[in-house]
Amino acid sequence: MREHAELLSSVRDDINEYKASGSMSPRVQLLRERAAIHGSIAHIDDVINQAQTTRAVLGSQRTIFGDVQGKVKLLSDKFPIIRGLLGSIRRRRSRDTLILSAVIAACTLFLIIYWLSK
């Protein structure tokens, strides 16, 4: 929300400056435009850095979850009770996924029927 407010205020400032710059020389206007472009490029660089950091964190999480999955598989191979428990969790998750997809499909179908009836 703060970034949104800053963006809106900077746009308003740019509009006010543009209206007031009717008497400015073209060189000053070009310098201001260059500064605005430089600021945009810096912001884009920040966003790209955040995306790369997020990608790296997600990669490390994937590795950690893979290790945990391997350890759980080893435990389930050693203890049949744990294998049964994991199987029931997997079946429940599969059933929940099917129910959720059916609800989404029904809602989409009703939405299409409603849209076509108008």
Side-chain angles (χ1 to χ4, degrees), residues 29 34-35 41 49 52 56 58 60 81 89 101-102 104 115-116:
Q29 289 177 351
R34 182 177 182 267
I41 291 172
N49 286 335
Q52 288 174 340
L58 288 174
S60 68
I81 294 173
I89 290 172
S101 357
I104 291 171
W115 183 65
L116 291 175

Side-chain angles (χ1 to χ4, degrees), residues 55-71:
R55 181 175 183 255
V57 168
L58 288 174
S60 68
Q61 286 179 358
R62 179 179 42 211
T63 304
I64 290 170
F65 284 135
D67 293 344
V68 168
Q69 183 180 7
K71 290 177 183 177

Side-chain angles (χ1 to χ4, degrees), residues 2 11 14 18 21 29 37 51 61 71 91 107:
R2 183 175 49 92
V11 168
D14 290 343
Y18 177 75
S21 70
Q29 289 177 351
I37 290 171
Q61 286 179 358
K71 290 177 183 177
R91 283 189 301 273
C107 289

